[in-house]
């Protein structure tokens, strides 16, 4: 099997990347295209996952960045990193559905953790995951993240974040020490 890290480049996103990043995030989580990969949320949420304004907001955030991952000049993955004092927040993680399951996600999250630790000196990475996404949470647990049981409500009624197909959605905080 080819090394998932082969031929990858990592860079900070710019405004010129907005459209391709929105398409990548949508393809990884929503609609029929997302069903090619395993990270789909199509059965629990309809509508959009993000929009151009949301992506641009992350790109322009003064304490963060949106990391773009390319192979052969094509965007294949992305993730958000935000510096929050002693920890970093990891979000907007997407891998092209056609490339999921081959180790690319592991490479991307490891690079994000390295950058957060080296660039900001943080000692912990945090993220929130929809609590009913057991398969996704298990994947993060295999990468060293732990469930905290700390929940925050899903933004029901804000279609900018999707249209829930069930009434029990909430976000759970996952944490990992970066030492």
């Amino acid at each position: 099997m080819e090394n998932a890290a082969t031929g990858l480049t990592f860079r900070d996103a710019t405004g010129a990347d907005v459209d391709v990043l929105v398409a990548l995030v949508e393809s990884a989580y929503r609609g029929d295209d997302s069903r090619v990969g395993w990270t789909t949320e199509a059965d629990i949420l309809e509508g959009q996952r993000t929009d151009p304004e949301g992506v641009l907001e992350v790109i322009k955030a003064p304490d963060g960045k949106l990391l773009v991952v390319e192979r052969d000049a094509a965007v294949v993955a992305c993730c958000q990193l935000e510096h929050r004092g002693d920890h970093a927040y990891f979000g907007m993680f997407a891998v092209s559905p056609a490339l999921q399951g081959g180790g690319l996600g592991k490479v991307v999250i490891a690079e994000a953790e390295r950058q957060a630790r080296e660039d900001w000196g943080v000692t912990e990475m945090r993220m929130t995951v929809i609590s009913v996404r057991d398969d996704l949470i298990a994947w993060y647990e295999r990468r060293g993240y732990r469930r905290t049981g700390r929940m925050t409500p899903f933004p029901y009624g804000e279609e900018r974040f999707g249209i829930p197909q069930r009434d029990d959605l909430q976000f759970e905080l996952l944490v990992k020490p970066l030492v």
Side-chain angles (χ1 to χ4, degrees):
M1 181 180 213
E2 181 182 339
N3 182 340
T6 303
L8 294 180
T9 57
F10 294 83
R11 64 175 176 80
D12 292 353
T14 68
D17 296 311
V18 168
D19 290 342
V20 71
L21 291 173
V22 169
L24 172 66
V25 171
E26 293 298 311
S27 74
Y29 292 98
R30 298 287 199 276
D32 287 337
D33 288 349
S34 71
R35 295 181 193 281
V36 172
W38 67 273
T39 60
T40 184
E41 295 172 344
D43 294 329
I44 59 173
L45 289 160
E46 291 183 354
Q48 69 180 30
R49 176 81 187 299
T50 191
D51 54 31
E53 295 78 19
V55 171
L56 193 57
E57 189 177 302
V58 172
I59 291 171
K60 291 184 171 186
D63 293 325
K65 60 183 164 183
L66 189 53
L67 195 60
V68 174
V69 185
E70 295 176 314
R71 179 180 283 147
D72 300 325
V75 174
V76 296
C78 68
C79 66
Q80 168 192 11
L81 287 172
E82 186 178 315
H83 187 193
R84 297 182 178 176
D86 65 347
H87 70 276
Y89 177 81
F90 179 82
M92 205 176 285
F93 185 30
V95 173
S96 173
L99 299 175
Q100 291 177 16
L104 179 57
K106 294 176 193 173
V107 173
V108 174
I109 198 168
E111 175 62 13
E113 292 166 355
R114 185 196 68 76
Q115 286 193 25
R117 187 175 49 248
E118 292 183 9
D119 296 351
W120 298 326
V122 297
T123 57
E124 187 176 76
M125 186 78 87
R126 297 181 184 178
M127 69 176 74
T128 55
V129 179
I130 296 174
S131 63
V132 298
R133 297 290 319 276
D134 294 328
D135 54 345
L136 186 58
I137 290 171
W139 188 87
Y140 285 121
E141 287 178 316
R142 291 191 298 273
R143 315 268 100 53
Y145 288 81
R146 66 174 177 78
R147 300 182 85 154
T148 64
R150 291 176 24 203
M151 303 292 181
T152 53
F154 186 86
Y156 283 92
E158 293 184 43
E159 290 190 8
R160 176 181 179 196
F161 301 105
I163 303 167
Q165 301 303 294
R166 46 194 289 178
D167 62 6
D168 63 344
L169 301 182
Q170 56 186 344
F171 294 104
E172 182 171 2
L173 176 68
L174 304 183
V175 298
K176 178 182 180 178
L178 297 180
V179 288

